[in-house]
Amino acid sequence: MHSRCFLLHAACLAMGLLIGFGSNLVRSRGQKDVACEASPSSTKGAPPCAPSALTSPPDALNNPLFLASIRTAIREELRAELATHPFQGDVPHEEGRPPIKMLDAKDQERQRLAYDRASKSLSKAIGYGTWTQEDRQQFRSTLHDLSIPQQDQIIGELFGAIQSGRLRVQDSGPPL
C-alpha cells in the first residue's frame, strides 16, 4: 500500500518537474531568439542567430489545447502506473487508521442525491448572481454527505463562479 502511494507521488513529482523544466527551457529559448532578432550584429562575419527550436509562440503555455495535451499525457501515465498495481480492497488496517470501507448501493445513492442537491443549489445561486446566507447553509448541510472528490469538485465550482464574477457573496464572511 505504501509503495503504491510512494510510486504515485514520485510519478506526479517527476511529471511536475519535467513540465517545469520544459516550460523554463521553452521560455528561455524564446527570449534568446527575441534578443537575437532585436540586436543586429555589428560585424560582417558574425554568424546569424540559430533558427528557433520553438515550434509554437511563446504564449503556448497558456493555450488550452497545449495544457489539455499535457493533462492527457499525465492521465495516461497515471493509469498505466495504477494498472500495474492490483486493487487491494480487503487490506488489513494499520493501528490508528480506520479500515477501508467499500460503499454499498444505498451510500452511493445518498451521495448522488446530495451532490444533485448541492449542484442545483449552486446553479440556482449562479442564475441569480448572488450567494446568500441561506444558500451557504443549504450548501454546507449537503457537503458532509459527499465523497471527498465530489466535495472538491462542487467547492471548486463555487469558488470558480465567485472568482469569475458570475456569483457575488451577499453577506460579509466566507462563502462556506
Side-chain angles (χ1 to χ4, degrees):
M1 182 68 166
H2 291 289
S3 64
R4 184 170 80 177
C5 289
F6 176 75
L7 289 174
L8 183 60
H9 290 296
C12 289
L13 181 62
M15 288 299 292
L17 289 172
L18 180 65
I19 292 169
F21 287 132
S23 69
N24 285 340
L25 181 65
V26 167
R27 286 182 184 157
S28 67
R29 284 187 181 169
Q31 290 173 353
K32 186 188 303 181
D33 292 338
V34 169
C36 286
E37 292 169 2
S39 61
S41 66
S42 58
T43 60
K44 292 181 183 178
C49 289
S52 174
L54 194 60
T55 58
S56 61
D59 62 341
L61 296 175
N62 294 328
N63 184 346
L65 295 175
F66 181 70
L67 296 175
S69 65
I70 290 173
R71 286 186 195 107
T72 302
I74 290 172
R75 276 190 212 107
E76 289 172 0
E77 289 293 323
L78 286 174
R79 281 189 192 124
E81 181 63 30
L82 290 175
T84 61
H85 300 285
F87 175 71
Q88 300 171 352
D90 297 327
V91 176
H93 66 282
E94 299 172 15
E95 284 191 34
R97 282 187 158 183
I100 297 173
K101 178 185 168 194
M102 299 302 288
L103 294 177
D104 60 359
K106 186 175 87 172
D107 289 336
Q108 289 176 349
E109 180 66 17
R110 182 177 46 82
Q111 283 184 350
R112 189 188 63 76
L113 291 173
Y115 182 80
D116 289 344
R117 279 194 313 270
S119 182
K120 285 178 185 175
S121 172
L122 181 59
S123 296
K124 185 177 100 177
I126 291 173
Y128 287 117
T130 59
W131 186 251
T132 64
Q133 182 68 26
E134 181 182 319
D135 293 328
R136 181 181 300 145
Q137 289 172 347
Q138 184 179 4
F139 192 78
R140 283 171 53 183
S141 70
T142 59
L143 282 180
H144 65 83
D145 290 330
L146 300 176
S147 67
I148 300 298
Q150 288 174 325
Q151 289 176 5
D152 290 345
Q153 181 178 359
I154 199 79
I155 290 171
E157 290 175 20
L158 169 66
F159 283 102
I162 292 170
Q163 289 177 346
S164 69
R166 295 181 294 148
L167 192 61
R168 184 179 50 83
V169 179
Q170 189 177 37
D171 303 322
S172 63
L176 293 175

